[in-house]
Amino acid sequence: MVQISAAIIAASVALVVAFLTPTVTSLRARRQAVHDKFDAALSALLLVQASRQRPQGLKATPAGWTPQEHRALNLRTAESGFEFHIKCTADAKVALAAIAPYVPEVRDYITSKWELREDEEPELRTKVDARRAAAVKSERLFLARRPLPSQGV
């Protein structure tokens, strides 16, 4: 009788562990995915800020260069800096779109204008960072993500 009880307890523990381990691992993975989205969005916003500081080219004509070569270099430098800024802005909008279900305030920045203004970016980063904890908490052990209270539910 004692051996049967011990076997039942051992089997029960094995079943519980076999069930809970993948469940807890899945929850951790879902929460880490939310953290990764927020990290990507914050990094993308900082990269937009950094890309505003574009090289303007060389002031003086390098020795052995013609004025036309100097002008062409400066033009290419300015164009590539501006193209990089546009790419960073587009990448930031993609990253913001990934967190829009958790941070509804970013939707305006994604859809209403092509550029994130320099004075808006720090405030936007603050809003995104403030919503991280609630977004991570919204991932529950046995439930699908529920809408946050600010999403009208």
Side-chain angles (χ1 to χ4, degrees), residues 58 60-70:
L58 302 172
T61 304
W65 286 36
T66 65
Q68 293 82 9
E69 290 172 325
H70 180 225

Side-chain angles (χ1 to χ4, degrees), residues 22-87:
T23 304
V24 170
T25 302
S26 172
L27 174 63
R28 282 188 191 142
R30 288 194 324 258
R31 287 184 173 180
Q32 186 58 49
V34 172
H35 276 299
D36 291 346
K37 289 176 186 180
F38 274 76
D39 289 342
L42 291 170
S43 295
L45 289 171
L46 287 171
L47 195 53
V48 168
Q49 276 299 75
S51 71
R52 292 180 195 288
Q53 310 304 318
R54 296 185 284 278
Q56 301 300 313
L58 302 172
K59 292 186 191 263
T61 304
W65 286 36
T66 65
Q68 293 82 9
E69 290 172 325
H70 180 225
R71 236 185 337 273
L73 171 71
N74 286 348
L75 181 60
R76 281 193 317 270
T77 301
E79 285 175 349
S80 66
F82 191 65
E83 287 170 0
F84 180 68
H85 177 69
I86 291 171
K87 181 188 177 315

Side-chain angles (χ1 to χ4, degrees), residues 37 40-42 44 90-100:
K37 289 176 186 180
L42 291 170
D91 291 347
K93 287 184 174 221
V94 169
L96 289 173
I99 64 166

Side-chain angles (χ1 to χ4, degrees), residues 89-118:
T89 301
D91 291 347
K93 287 184 174 221
V94 169
L96 289 173
I99 64 166
Y102 305 104
V103 188
E105 298 91 343
V106 302
R107 290 187 180 125
D108 181 48
Y109 294 96
I110 298 167
T111 59
S112 68
K113 47 195 162 189
W114 80 269
E115 185 179 23
L116 301 171
R117 286 193 345 245
E118 189 170 3

